[in-house]
């Protein structure tokens, strides 16, 4: 079976324990199946990009003994592909121009699975350059089978609403970029944190609209801090000590249900972890604290 996975960090800060867990789970899944594992820097949202963060992430991955296949893909160099995808959706009548402000939307919208559900106020307006572009979702229930969590379903129209693919400032959004790039890189298996589980139905709807194949999905538990919040660059999760990679790798492996790995070297850690991955007891939950 062909297998191609990827790790797709946003360079808004250094690698932290939560992103190490996602990278480790993804890389082990790929290696255990004799597959490829690709790297993509998700720097499409340029105002969020922190100078030097992408290089720091790449250096950290190397220090932790990750190896990846092929050249690193940078979303900031992929705008032509995003533009072409939008053009296709526009020609198929799936896009419209939205000039609502956040305030307009907040005043009229219910709160759905990932923020306000856009009420469709601007539906039917032709796309134009000086407005945000929204994707018109259909009424069918989006479903997929997560490899860990099982059947996941979402009624996009009522739980999520029409979503933005290009912002008014011209920036292509994560939902569009990730779908175009997963297809462009031939990704068969997406392994990532369950914080993105609510994005998956939107991505599948876009894949369908663009005539792209849907990869398999595995959503790993998200690491919570002591206060119960997701570890993230925004909450200033402590960067990892790249001079001493083994303790953090062992903690990440334990978090993923691989048990204790007492390795004397990176090579030994990776050999044990890859061999154990098929029997890992990954907790099938959306979030948890590390022990
Ligand atoms: N760039 C996203 C993040 O860092 C991950 C996207 C994905 O794996 O689909 O949270
Ligand atoms: Zn609008």
């Amino acid at each position: 079976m062909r297998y191609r996975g990827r790790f797709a960090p946003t360079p808004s800060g250094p690698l932290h324990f939560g992103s190490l867990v996602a990278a480790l789970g993804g890389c082990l899944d790929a290696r255990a199946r004799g597959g490829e594992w690709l790297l993509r820097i998700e720097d499409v949202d340029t105002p969020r990009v922190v100078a030097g963060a992408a290089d720091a992430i790449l250096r950290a991955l190397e220090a932790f003994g990750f190896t990846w296949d092929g050249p690193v893909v940078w979303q900031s160099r992929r705008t032509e592909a995003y533009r072409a995808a939008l053009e296709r959706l526009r020609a198929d009548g799936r896009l419209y121009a939205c000039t609502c402000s956040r305030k307009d939307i907040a005043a009229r919208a219910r709160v759905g699975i990932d923020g306000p559900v856009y009420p469709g106020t601007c539906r039917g307006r032709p796309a134009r350059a000086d407005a945000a572009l929204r994707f018109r979702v259909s009424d069918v229930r989006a479903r997929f089978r997560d490899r860990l969590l099982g059947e996941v379903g979402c009624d996009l129209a009522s739980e999520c609403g029409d979503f933005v693919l290009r912002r008014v400032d011209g920036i292509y959004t994560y939902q569009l970029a990730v779908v175009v790039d997963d297809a462009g890189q031939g990704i068969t298996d997406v392994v990532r944190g369950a914080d993105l589980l609510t994005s998956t139905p939107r991505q599948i709807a876009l894949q369908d609209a663009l005539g792209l194949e849907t990869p398999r999905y595995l959503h790993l538990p998200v690491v919570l801090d002591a206060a119960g919040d997701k570890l993230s660059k925004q909450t200033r999760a402590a960067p990892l000590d790249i001079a001493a990679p083994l303790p953090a790798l062992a903690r990440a492996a334990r978090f993923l249900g691989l048990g204790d790995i007492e390795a004397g070297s990176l090579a030994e850690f990776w050999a044990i972890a890859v061999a154990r991955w098929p029997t890992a007891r990954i907790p099938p939950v959306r979030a948890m604290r590390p022990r």
Side-chain angles (χ1 to χ4, degrees):
M1 183 184 57
R2 193 172 73 93
Y3 182 110
R4 211 173 225 208
R6 54 41 163 207
F7 180 54
T10 303
S12 54
L15 197 74
H16 55 77
F17 184 67
S19 38
L20 176 66
V21 165
L24 182 63
C27 191
L28 290 176
D29 197 52
R31 299 303 178 215
R33 288 168 174 241
E36 292 178 304
W37 192 65
L38 282 59
L39 217 55
R40 177 167 80 231
I41 300 292
E42 299 214 315
D43 57 349
V44 68
D45 187 353
T46 41
R48 271 186 67 206
V49 170
V50 171
D55 283 341
I57 291 171
L58 296 177
R59 254 181 289 119
L61 289 173
E62 271 166 8
F64 282 95
F66 288 91
T67 55
W68 52 88
D69 299 292
V72 176
V73 167
W74 297 74
Q75 289 192 324
S76 53
R77 298 178 199 161
R78 298 264 307 148
T79 51
E80 181 45 36
Y82 308 146
R83 197 200 54 72
L86 272 194
E87 180 45 35
R88 170 159 179 185
L89 295 172
R90 191 199 59 73
D92 287 344
R94 298 299 297 266
L95 290 187
Y96 62 90
C98 173
T99 51
C100 299
S101 66
R102 261 174 218 274
K103 244 174 92 188
D104 295 335
I105 297 170
R108 293 155 152 266
R110 284 179 304 104
V111 175
I113 52 171
D114 196 16
V117 178
Y118 181 69
T121 322
C122 300
R123 266 197 180 195
R125 294 196 189 160
R128 40 182 251 224
D130 61 342
L133 296 180
R134 275 189 198 269
F135 176 72
R136 188 169 48 72
V137 302
S138 61
D139 281 334
V140 290
R141 193 169 168 77
R143 316 169 161 281
F144 70 99
R145 199 180 158 71
D146 183 88
R147 286 174 46 203
L148 182 64
L149 303 174
E151 217 50 62
V152 180
C154 169
D155 185 15
L156 276 179
S158 68
E159 296 176 66
C160 178
D162 297 343
F163 52 97
V164 174
L165 298 187
R166 200 190 67 202
R167 303 189 328 211
V168 61
D169 60 8
I171 287 181
Y172 297 100
T173 61
Y174 160 68
Q175 305 293 356
L176 178 71
V178 77
V179 163
V180 171
D181 289 342
D182 281 340
Q185 290 183 285
I187 300 303
T188 62
D189 287 77
V190 171
V191 178
R192 61 184 177 191
D195 51 319
L196 292 162
L197 191 62
T198 55
S199 287
T200 306
R202 274 173 279 180
Q203 294 170 14
I204 292 174
L206 277 178
Q207 288 153 3
D208 288 348
L210 288 166
L212 303 171
E213 258 172 67
T214 292
R216 288 178 290 265
Y217 286 95
L218 192 171
H219 289 89
L220 301 170
V222 170
V223 186
L224 301 180
D225 63 18
D229 294 320
K230 179 196 160 210
L231 280 191
S232 73
K233 294 149 195 158
Q234 285 70 39
T235 58
R236 286 192 284 281
L240 296 160
D241 180 4
I242 67 169
L246 285 172
L249 282 171
R251 265 204 312 145
R254 210 176 313 120
F255 184 86
L256 287 168
L258 286 162
D260 290 325
I261 299 181
E262 277 161 37
S265 68
L266 283 173
E268 194 188 348
F269 171 85
W270 279 95
I272 296 171
V274 170
R276 261 191 218 173
W277 180 254
T279 58
R281 309 177 92 149
I282 314 169
V285 293
R286 296 183 64 162
M288 67 175 193
R289 282 178 209 179
R291 278 192 295 118

